[in-house]
Amino acid sequence: MSLVYSTDFGRACAGCGRPAAQCTCKDKVRPAGDGVVRVRRETAGRKGKGVTAIHGMPLDDAALTVLAKQLKALCGSGGTAKDGVIEIQGDHLEKVMAWLKARPEGWTVKRVGG
């Protein structure tokens, strides 16, 4: 059984037992991908509500958040960037793919699934 809360410092990380603010197990580096950005529509675990998910972006968390903000503005909907994946609410596959392909970074963009 691991410590999850202490009256001394508050919440503790279940993995390393340190205070949540000083946790080092969340600083894991994402594995390098194969250079292909994959765009797909996902509904699993969302009660049937679809999101456009972008996987495999070769960016750090800060740049991923900035890109997510640009994509949300492009699509006119909400979304998030977490765990190396950008999720845009709704079905915006074609719009997102066209925008990513037109970027000067030269990413290879593929539609996967369905």
Side-chain angles (χ1 to χ4, degrees), residues 30-109:
R30 283 192 297 269
D34 57 357
V36 177
V37 176
R38 291 174 171 82
V39 182
R40 67 178 171 207
R41 184 171 186 270
E42 295 180 354
T43 57
R46 296 177 178 87
K47 298 180 183 178
K49 304 285 184 178
V51 298
T52 302
I54 300 110
H55 297 267
M57 297 296 295
L59 302 172
D60 62 346
D61 288 339
L64 205 65
T65 304
V66 170
L67 186 66
K69 185 174 180 178
Q70 293 172 348
L71 285 168
K72 291 188 300 185
L74 172 77
C75 298
S77 64
T80 186
K82 60 182 178 182
D83 299 330
V85 178
I86 298 175
E87 295 178 352
I88 306 296
Q89 294 173 353
D91 188 4
H92 303 284
L93 283 172
E94 300 304 322
K95 190 183 293 187
V96 168
M97 286 183 61
W99 190 80
L100 288 173
K101 285 180 183 177
R103 298 278 299 185
E105 288 87 354
W107 293 318
T108 303
V109 181

Side-chain angles (χ1 to χ4, degrees), residues 2-6 9-27:
S2 64
L3 178 70
V4 293
Y5 188 84
S6 169
F9 53 82
R11 265 195 201 282
C13 174
C16 62
R18 296 182 182 170
Q22 298 170 0
C23 175
T24 57
C25 52
K26 290 185 181 177
D27 295 337

